[in-house]
Every structure is written in structure tokens, then in C-alpha cells.
């Protein structure tokens, strides 16, 4: 049985024999910009993050030890490096990336790209970049990044040209807010121009004052009308892969909610973990779902099978979601895992795993045997 199937099987038989497939490492809280939708750096926030918090960054030696511990659980395949800021502002970022690559793990970096060195990224053989663009025109880009100017827009273009010329196809991320919601089709064309591997669209998840960036009712109606249709047509004509189907799900959810989590379910429990700069270990990318904190003798391997993690796995498999799950930042992954689980194990098992209906008995508690 493949590791992928073993993890999904764990949802039905309650036995998890592997560590996470993917670990997401935040390496810095510092950022070189101020995306209007960001819960940490947006100028729209009602209360700004303290300067001391923004200066926090992970030490390479600690990350090295952490990865040793996670790999010892078995099953680790990929590492995502980002931050609650911009990872390429970390002074040792290339050493951290090199450590991941030496381990033979698939490496993804989430970045706005402006602070990065394209040649070093190519030399290291970074497997994937998720490049936060958030606009197809200079006006939309600068509206989304108020502290940036035209030079940053041109810098982004130069970097994208470098990757295109090197034959590297990375992914673009387009978070949709009021300032750029009119550019969906143009975002597809922008991706085609630079030979992007895919465009990942995401309706902005907003809170703490960033709600001011929410798309209007009129924009939502236009997107659900001909906006999505036009973008899908451009995607098909140009051969640019997108997740516009997931964006449509988000748009139909309505209001400030961006994820129909009850319709999809959460399957991240056996697959994913995120570790913040200060050692806080998160169940997913939701900062409200904390399963522990590293340090003082607490190791990741102890938390993975511990009571807090197990409790959240069981709760979410029962369909007992936190309200913040309705802004799920891992909706793309959950949609794929949900569809795969349903195809492998059938409708009845899928309904039980998503807590659907009074007839669905509670799932087995997951037992970690690693």
C-alpha cells in the first residue's frame, strides 16, 4: 500500500503509522511589504503586530534538529518554507533551503519574490515556488501592496523572465480582493506570459480589520456571472492550469466565509503540520488550532501522536469544525484529498469521515504507531 493510501486509510481504520507527508516551516515574521489582506502586516489591521514579534526568526540549527525529528517518524516527503512574513528576508534562508534539498525532500517556497535571488534559487534546485502576485496590472499590484512602488513591479517581472528563460515553471498565487477582482482573465494571461505551471486563485480570508478589502456584492455577482467564465475560457485557450473551480466554491460560500468546509471535510490530520517561528505547532495553517509548542523537552515527534493532536483529528473527522475553518487556507488540498478518499473508499466511508448525517457513526480515534 502506498504511503498516500495508508494515510487516507488511517481515517477509516484509526491507525496512523507515518509522520506528516508535508511540514510547513515558518522561518521569519519579518516582511518587506504590507499586503492589504495580510493578518500580520496589513495597514488595515485594527491593531498592528508588535515590532518585537516582527523581528522573530528561526535559527537554522533548530530547524535542522526539527527536521531530523520529523524524518525519524517516517513518511516525510515535502517541506514548505514560508513565514508570517517573507522568507527571503531571513539572512540564512539559502542555508535553510540547502539543508532541505540535501535531505532529498521536495521543497516549496511561498514568496512575493521581490527579495529573492533568482540565480541562487535555480542553483539550489528549489522544486516549486508559490509566487504571490495578486494582480495582473501595475495598478492592482500596487493597490494590493501599498508600500511597494513601480520598481517592485518591474523587479517581479525581471525575476519571472529569468525563471521563464531558464525553463523553470513555478506557480502563481492570486489572492482576490476588491482591488483586483476585475482581473481574473488577465491573471491567466499574465501566467501564460511567464510560462507559469499553474495559477492558484484564492478568495481573500479577512479578519481583524482587513475586512475592508472584501469584494463587493456587485463584484461577487460579476465574478459568478461572466468573470469566472471568461477566465476559464482563457485558461482553456492558453493551456494554463488553474483552480478556478475551487474559487467558484469560495465565491458561492458568501460573506466573509471562504470555504464550504462542511461540504468538503478536513483530511489534513494524517498529512500536514505547520511550525511557527516561535516553535508553536499548528494542526494546519489556522493559527487558532494549536497542538503544542516545541522546547523545554517537547519535541514534534511527541506532539504528533499526543492527546491535543489526536483530539483535533477526531473532532474534525466528526465534522465539529472551528468557526475559523470556514476560512480554510488549505481548501485546495482538502478538496483533492476529499475527492481521492471518496474514490478509494466509497460514499459511505466518505460521509462518515466528514461527519455527514445522523446515520454516520463517529470515526475511530486515530492511533499513531510510528
Amino acid at each position: 500500500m502506498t504511503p498516500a493510501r495508508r494515510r487516507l486509510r488511517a481515517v477509516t481504520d484509526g491507525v496512523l503509522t507515518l509522520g506528516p507527508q508535508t511540514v510547513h516551516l515558518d522561518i521569519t515574521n519579518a516582511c518587506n511589504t504590507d499586503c492589504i489582506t495580510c493578518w500580520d502586516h496589513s495597514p488595515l489591521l485594527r491593531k498592528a503586530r508588535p515590532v518585537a514579534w516582527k523581528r522573530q526568526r528561526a535559527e537554522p540549527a533548530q530547524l535542522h534538529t526539527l527536521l531530523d525529528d520529523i524524518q525519524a517518524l517516517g513518511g516525510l516527503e515535502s517541506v514548505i518554507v514560508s513565514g508570517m512574513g517573507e522568507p527571503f528576508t531571513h539572512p540564512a534562508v539559502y542555508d535553510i533551503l540547502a539543508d532541505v534539498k540535501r535531505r532529498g525532500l521536495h521543497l516549496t517556497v511561498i514568496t512575493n519574490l521581490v527579495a529573492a535571488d533568482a540565480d541562487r534559487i535555480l542553483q539550489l534546485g528549489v522544486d516549486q515556488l508559490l509566487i504571490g502576485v495578486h494582480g495582473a496590472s501595475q495598478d492592482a499590484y500596487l493597490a494590493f501592496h501599498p508600500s511597494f512602488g513601480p520598481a517592485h513591479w518591474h523587479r517581479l517581472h525581471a525575476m519571472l523572465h529569468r525563471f521563464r528563460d531558464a525553463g523553470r515553471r513555478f506557480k502563481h498565487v492570486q489572492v482576490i480582493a476588491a482591488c483586483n477582482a476585475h482581473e481574473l482573465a488577465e491573471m491567466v494571461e499574465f501566467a501564460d506570459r511567464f510560462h507559469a505551471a499553474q495559477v492558484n486563485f484564492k478568495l481573500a480570508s479577512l479578519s481583524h480589520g482587513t475586512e475592508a478589502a472584501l469584494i463587493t456584492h456587485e463584484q461577487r455577482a460579476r465574478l459568478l456571472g461572466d468573470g469566472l467564465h471568461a477566465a476559464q475560457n482563457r485558461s482553456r485557450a492558453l493551456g494554463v492550469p488553474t483552480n478556478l473551480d475551487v474559487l467558484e466554491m469560495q465565491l458561492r460560500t458568501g460573506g466573509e466565509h471562504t470555504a464550504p468546509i462542511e461540504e468538503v471535510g478536513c483530511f489534513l490530520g494524517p498529512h500536514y503540520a505547520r511550525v511557527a517561528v516561535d516553535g508553536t505547532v499548528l494542526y494546519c495553517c489556522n493559527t487558532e488550532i494549536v497542538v503544542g509548542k516545541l522546547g523545554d523537552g517537547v519535541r514534534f515527534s511527541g506532539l504528533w501522536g499526543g492527546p491535543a493532536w489526536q483530539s483535533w483529528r477526531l473532532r474534525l473527522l466528526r465534522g465539529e469544525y472551528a468557526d475559523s475553518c470556514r476560512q480554510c487556507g488549505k481548501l485546495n488540498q482538502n478538496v483533492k484529498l476529499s475527492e481521492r478518499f471518496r474514490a478509494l473508499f466509497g460514499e459511505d466511508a466518505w460521509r462518515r469521515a466528514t461527519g455527514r448525517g445522523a446515520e454516520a457513526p463517529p470515526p475511530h480515534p486515530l492511533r499513531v504507531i510510528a
Side-chain angles (χ1 to χ4, degrees), residues 166-205:
R168 293 303 311 274
R169 303 190 65 187
F170 296 128
K171 295 180 181 180
H172 293 185
V173 178
Q174 297 282 6
V175 172
I176 304 304
C179 65
N180 62 13
H182 58 290
E183 293 192 341
L184 248 61
E186 291 82 359
M187 290 170 177
V188 175
E189 293 168 353
F190 184 90
D192 177 65
R193 191 182 319 152
F194 295 104
H195 299 178
Q198 183 171 326
V199 186
N200 287 344
F201 289 97
K202 181 182 182 297
L203 189 61
S205 298

Side-chain angles (χ1 to χ4, degrees), residues 302-325:
L303 294 172
W304 181 247
W309 219 315
Q310 299 294 66
S311 175
W312 272 108
R313 288 186 181 111
L314 186 57
R315 174 179 168 178
L316 294 173
L317 287 173
R318 285 174 171 158
E320 299 170 6
Y321 304 106
D323 188 59
S324 50
C325 293

